[in-house]
């Protein structure tokens, strides 16, 4: 990671429909797994999504600010577990930033999509909507990361 990566990094919301190479996905996951967490509790889980139908459904997690996910070849759902650590929000945010900076450093672009404390509609939270799609038990869906070329 160098200053140029940080200086160049922007939120990217337009994507080329081309699958992300497996090695690049591995690098992104490695970066997040190496992110620091309070007391090393690592209270997160990462769900890699590349199926277009699922990305399209995830893009509807909230009324605005997530629609561009339907055109992305990859999404990473970052989940945090409050039962594992009281600093799960901080730890998960750091992991998400590691995703974004690692992506930038290997020529990919992405954008944070806020899910925590957002609503899918007047009744259902964005988190409940995504949980229903992905069925992760006892995990809070935190945000979604995407990439571009
Ligand atoms: C906590 C957080 C939540 C964000 N949520 C969204 C979001 O839901 N949708 C979106 O398009 N961008 C989202 N962003 C991206 C910001 O809008 C973006 O970082 C900001 O406008 C600065 O632009 P830049 O990243 O291109 O420098 C989020 C960023 C952060 C840090």
């Amino acid at each position: 990671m160098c200053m140029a990566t940080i200086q160049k990094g922007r939120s990217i919301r337009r994507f080329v429909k081309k699958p992300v190479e497996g090695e690049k996905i591995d690098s992104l996951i490695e970066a997040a797994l190496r992110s620091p967490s309070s007391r090393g509790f690592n209270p997160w889980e990462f769900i890699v999504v590349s199926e277009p139908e699922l990305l399209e459904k995830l893009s509807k997690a909230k009324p605005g600010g997530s629609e561009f996910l339907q055109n992305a070849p990859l999404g990473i759902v970052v989940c945090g577990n409050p039962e594992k650590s009281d600093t799960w929000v901080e730890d998960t945010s750091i992991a998400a930033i590691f995703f974004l900076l690692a992506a930038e450093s290997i020529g990919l672009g992405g954008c944070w999509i806020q899910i925590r404390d957002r609503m899918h509609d007047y009744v259902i939270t964005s988190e409940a909507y995504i949980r229903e799609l992905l069925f992760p038990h006892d995990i809070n869906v935190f945000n979604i990361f995407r990439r571009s070329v």
Side-chain angles (χ1 to χ4, degrees):
M1 195 71 62
C2 61
M3 272 309 283
T5 300
I6 291 169
Q7 286 166 339
K8 207 154 61 70
R10 291 285 178 282
S11 295
I12 303 298
R13 301 178 179 85
R14 294 175 68 186
F15 308 96
V16 172
K17 280 263 176 201
K18 183 180 144 210
V20 182
E21 298 88 336
E23 316 84 72
K24 289 192 172 176
I25 297 175
D26 289 347
S27 296
L28 296 178
I29 296 293
E30 180 183 349
L33 292 176
R34 287 183 182 279
S35 67
S37 66
S38 175
R39 291 160 287 172
F41 282 173
N42 302 344
W44 20 245
E45 304 275 347
F46 311 117
I47 301 172
V48 178
V49 180
S50 56
E51 295 85 2
E53 305 82 45
L54 190 49
L55 288 166
E56 208 256 331
K57 285 179 184 158
L58 287 170
S59 78
K60 297 181 170 35
K62 57 182 188 174
S66 59
E67 58 290 312
F68 44 88
L69 182 62
Q70 66 188 305
N71 297 317
L74 186 77
I76 298 176
V77 182
V78 179
C79 309
N81 189 340
E83 289 173 13
K84 275 199 179 165
S85 176
D86 59 352
T87 60
W88 70 274
V89 174
E90 290 85 349
D91 296 336
T92 317
S93 298
I94 292 167
I97 288 299
F98 269 50
F99 271 126
L100 287 168
L101 290 175
E104 185 64 40
S105 76
I106 58 174
L108 303 175
C111 183
W112 184 309
I113 297 176
Q114 181 69 24
I115 295 301
R116 192 177 68 89
D117 287 345
R118 295 293 178 266
M119 296 298 289
H120 168 66
D121 57 25
Y122 286 113
V123 181
I124 304 167
T125 64
S126 299
E127 182 191 330
Y129 173 81
I130 292 178
R131 190 190 292 271
E132 186 69 20
L133 285 176
L134 302 177
F135 304 113
H137 300 294
D138 303 316
I139 288 173
N140 284 353
V141 175
F142 192 61
N143 60 50
I144 303 175
F145 163 80
R146 306 163 298 83
R147 59 73 74 180
S148 76
V149 291

